[in-house]
Structure formats: C-alpha cells, structure tokens
Amino acid sequence: MSNNPDQDFDRAIDRAGTFSVKYDGRLSMFGQAEVMPLWVADMDFAAPAAVTDALLKRATHPVYGYTQFPDSLYKSLINWLAVRHGWQIEREWIIFCPGVVPSLSTSILALSKPGEAVIVQPPVYYPFFSVVNKSGRKLLYNALRQEQAHYSMDLADLAQQAATARILLLCSPHNPVGRVWSESELEKLLAIAKQHDLIIISDEIHADLIYPGNKHHMLASLADAPESVITAVAPSKTFNIPGLNLSALIVPHPVYRAAIREQLDVMHVSAANPFSIAAFTAAYQGGTAWLASLMDYLADTCEMVRQYLQDYLPQIKLTLSQGTYLLWLDCRNLGLSDDELRQFFILEAGIGLNPGISYGKEGSGFMRMNIGTPRHHIQQALDNIRNAWVQRSTSIQ
Ligand SMILES: Cc1ncc(COP(=O)(O)O)c(C=O)c1O
C-alpha cells in the first residue's frame, strides 16, 4: 500500500450520494440497481491530492463568478504535452471546450458540410457514431481487423474510403480495443490523409494511460504538416476528473481554428468554470507521481484478469491491452447471442459491463470491462462470472 492516501488504489470509496452515472445510473442502464458497475469510463479512485487541494482552495473563495482561462491553464497543458509526449504546441492553437465529445461535434459541424462523409473505425466508442449522425453527416465505416493478439487498421480499405470522405475520426489510443497505434501505422494514416486531403480529428483522451512496453505518439507530432490534424485532449480520464468537463482542442490550422471558434460562439458555449480550471491545472502540474502509481496498479490488474481467464474461464479471451483502463473481452466462445450475453452478465453474474455490440456490429459477442476500481472488486467480478458460468453449464446438463 502506498503511503500517499490518494495512491491507495485498493481503498474502496463509497460513491453513494454523489449522483454518479456509474452507480446511480445502474437501474436505467441495467434494469437492476445492484449490479457491480464496471461500465461507464470513470474510475472509483480518488483523484490526485494536488487536484483535491486545488479544488478546496478555490472553494474557500466564496465568489464563483464568470471566469476566464488563465495563463497558468495554457502553460500546464503546453508543458504536459511537451514533457510527456514530446510535442511542442503554440498557445494560440488551443481552444478549450466543455468535454471531448462536444469538441468532436463542434469540429465536425465547423469543418464539413451536411451530407459530407466522416470515417470511423469500429468497433469504436459509440458517441463517434452519434456525433456524425446527429450532425447530419454521412458515416463511413473502416472496420478494424482482428488479428491474433490485437486489432490493426485496414489501411487499404481506408485509402479507398478516404477518396470520398471529408474527415476521419480517429480514436488513439483506441477505445474499446485497447490499441496504442504504432508510429508506422500512424505515419501511413497521415500519408493517406495527405493524399486525399482528409482532415483527421484525433481523439487522444486516453493518451496518458499507456501500459509498460508501449508508447503513445500524438498524431499531429508525426505529421510534416500538423495543420491537417485536430487533436482532442483532456486530463479527465488520466486523473479521474471527467465530471468537471474541461478539455482542449489543439488546432494548428488558423482557418479551421476560426471556424471552430465561430461554431462555439453560435452556441455561446464556454468551458470556463473556476473549479474545472483549478483541477485541470493542478492535475497537469502535480499529478505525475499519482499517474505512475495508477498505471502500475492497472497493469497488475490487467495481468490478474488475463491470468484468471486463462486458468478458470478460457471461454472468455482478453484482447491484449496496450492502453486505457477498458478491457475488451471476447466472449464469443460462450455461444450466446448479444442479448443473452448481456442478460447473463447482468442477471446471472450480477455485473454491469458495456455490451460490445454498442460499439458497432464488429463488437458482437464482446463485452467491455472497466478495471478502474480496487482490484478486489475485479477479483469478485471474475469469481461471479466463473460461478455463474459453472451454474449455467451444470443446470443445462
Ligand atoms: C475515446 C473517448 N472520447 C471521449 C470520451 C468522453 O469525453 P468527454 O466526457 O470529455 O466528452 C470518452 C469517454 O469514455 C472516450 O473514451
């Protein structure tokens, strides 16, 4: 156990009464209020002490008026990207937004016309479908390919689709399949985009959650012309502060930047909130040690799941995870339909997971498990699944 209470990831924190989607949304999501919630992507861990201290300090000033983005906020992001990811950005490229998904919709609305095509790579984080559909753009699917150990991009198909598309929505690292794209894959992607004049909106919200042995490359940092790439980042997943709703778009192209700002202006959307600014800055300035222990903890949990499934539940296969705290479980050998699979996990195992089918038809037979919770919860969940499966197998015989 760590000496820092904020790094004691084994500590179970009761989230009751905090209006959390993950806990308080169980009844509407699963039809049961009691399932063990391993779904929506936040963690059950305390944020870094630096964040909590900054929020408490801000709260002691009793006036919570309209706020502007301070220099310290810009500097914290510029410094984080330079030190952690080796990417030097200009301050003027940054546009703060109230969350990554809104920043994706805003970019699509600003940079394409109704009816133009946007490519997505399923199985993928399902709001990628809705931000395209709801903005009246056309979805094109460049499905990932499932290889032995992990997924890869179908670049030949992408090159074809790119000929008629305006935008590619990239998920890097990829939710839900846990891929951290290699430098060479990303370079090929950039070459295709350049050839077809395709804008890439790169959602890199999971960029800091990388397991040992893998390296995340910020797409724009690899481009000869970073202007073609719009990058969405946030400290929200990294430091477990997604409820605070502050993210950033990094837009080197001045014309794209102006269009995105104008789109935000149309809706009078401002993300300047005194609490989110305090948390964002403090996380990037003071969260490095916390993040290192978090990643050690998650890597151990991931290995525990892999070993458990191999030893006791070989019907469920874990897709090799290179990043994110979201595991992609291949349950196809259980021989259940998507509906039966969902019911099995909810009603028989008492676990609330995200059904793979929500991430596109390529996710059929899969389930997504969020391991951002004390390891003993995951151990309990695995025991529940194993017992439920044994029970089902014996009752069928
Ligand atoms: C790839 C990806 N993008 C965006 C989000 C959500 O971002 P926000 O809450 O800032 O809209 C998530 C959350 O799971 C995600 O996985």
Side-chain angles (χ1 to χ4, degrees):
M1 192 185 99
S2 163
N3 291 330
N4 301 323
D6 63 331
Q7 293 172 30
D8 176 8
F9 301 113
D10 281 328
R11 177 165 64 113
I13 300 177
D14 184 1
R15 296 180 65 183
T18 63
F19 315 120
S20 102
V21 170
K22 197 187 211 172
Y23 284 79
D24 296 334
R26 282 179 287 185
L27 189 58
S28 61
M29 176 70 180
F30 302 106
Q32 304 269 330
E34 299 301 327
V35 289
M36 186 187 290
L38 304 177
W39 61 300
V40 67
D42 66 24
M43 300 186 278
D44 296 332
F45 305 134
V51 169
T52 313
D53 292 347
L55 287 170
L56 288 171
K57 181 159 175 242
R58 180 61 188 84
T60 56
H61 190 295
V63 182
Y64 311 119
Y66 292 119
T67 302
Q68 56 183 14
F69 298 119
D71 262 354
S72 49
L73 179 72
Y74 285 94
K75 282 192 186 137
S76 70
L77 174 60
I78 293 170
N79 190 53
W80 182 263
L81 292 175
V83 172
R84 189 151 190 110
H85 296 287
W87 185 29
Q88 199 63 56
I89 62 163
E90 305 290 329
R91 179 192 158 115
E92 64 182 17
W93 297 355
I94 301 172
I95 302 177
F96 288 106
C97 295
V100 166
V101 175
S103 79
L104 304 179
S105 319
T106 307
S107 306
I108 290 171
L109 289 168
L111 304 178
S112 63
K113 297 195 194 72
E116 283 188 321
V118 179
I119 304 174
V120 297
Q121 298 179 305
V124 73
Y125 177 57
Y126 45 81
F128 275 33
F129 306 126
S130 62
V131 293
V132 177
N133 279 332
K134 288 185 183 168
S135 54
R137 274 54 172 175
K138 185 176 152 205
L139 268 172
L140 289 184
Y141 302 95
N142 169 231
L144 298 180
R145 281 199 315 225
Q146 199 193 2
E147 315 275 358
Q148 272 303 70
H150 58 57
Y151 284 77
S152 66
M153 288 191 204
D154 186 341
L155 293 165
D157 177 68
L158 179 66
Q160 281 188 356
Q161 310 256 18
T164 60
R166 169 75 173 148
I167 294 176
L168 164 67
L169 210 44
L170 177 72
C171 195
S172 176
H174 192 96
N175 169 12
V177 308
R179 262 313 303 279
V180 173
W181 303 114
S182 68
E183 189 169 356
S184 110
E185 285 167 304
L186 294 175
E187 277 170 350
K188 288 180 190 142
L189 192 76
L190 286 166
I192 293 171
K194 189 169 176 188
Q195 191 189 351
H196 296 282
D197 221 2
L198 189 69
I199 299 170
I200 305 182
I201 303 176
S202 186
D203 176 343
E204 305 195 26
I205 195 171
H206 297 282
D208 305 314
L209 299 162
I210 307 297
Y211 291 116
N214 301 283
K215 178 164 169 45
H216 176 77
H217 299 275
M218 305 291 306
L219 180 72
S221 74
L222 300 176
D224 330 322
E227 287 75 15
S228 64
V229 180
I230 288 151
T231 310
V233 288
S236 53
K237 299 287 167 201
T238 313
F239 299 105
N240 203 28
I241 50 172
L244 293 172
N245 285 330
L246 180 57
S247 71
L249 279 175
I250 298 157
V251 192
H253 196 306
V255 175
Y256 295 169
R257 206 161 56 230
I260 292 170
R261 284 200 193 285
E262 202 175 302
Q263 187 66 43
L264 287 168
D265 272 358
V266 169
M267 296 180 287
H268 287 267
V269 173
S270 164
N273 166 318
F275 291 100
S276 49
I277 289 172
F280 186 118
T281 314
Y284 279 150
Q285 286 175 348
T288 304
W290 181 94
L291 178 57
S293 3
L294 172 75
M295 289 318 296
D296 286 347
Y297 190 86
L298 292 173
D300 288 349
T301 305
C302 208
E303 174 53 20
M304 186 270 274
V305 174
R306 192 197 61 73
Q307 193 65 52
Y308 188 104
L309 295 178
Q310 184 179 302
D311 293 347
Y312 303 114
L313 262 170
Q315 301 86 341
I316 300 181
K317 277 199 234 120
L318 175 64
T319 307
L320 179 72
S321 189
Q322 300 176 324
T324 84
Y325 50 79
L326 306 165
L327 301 187
W328 189 233
L329 305 178
D330 182 347
C331 304
R332 287 174 298 179
N333 284 340
L334 296 181
L336 303 177
S337 69
D338 286 303
D339 214 32
E340 289 165 343
L341 200 55
R342 189 167 181 274
Q343 295 304 323
F344 167 71
F345 280 100
I346 299 171
L347 299 176
E348 297 173 46
I351 315 286
L353 304 178
N354 289 96
I357 191 74
S358 343
Y359 301 84
K361 65 178 169 36
E362 298 74 9
S364 176
F366 287 76
M367 297 297 279
R368 192 190 77 168
M369 177 189 268
N370 176 346
I371 56 165
T373 193
R375 197 170 302 131
H376 62 92
H377 289 171
I378 299 294
Q379 177 76 50
Q380 179 68 60
L382 292 168
D383 287 343
N384 286 7
I385 301 168
R386 180 184 176 197
N387 293 338
W389 188 248
V390 169
Q391 184 93 31
R392 173 181 263 260
S393 315
T394 43
S395 67
I396 286 171
Q397 276 162 13

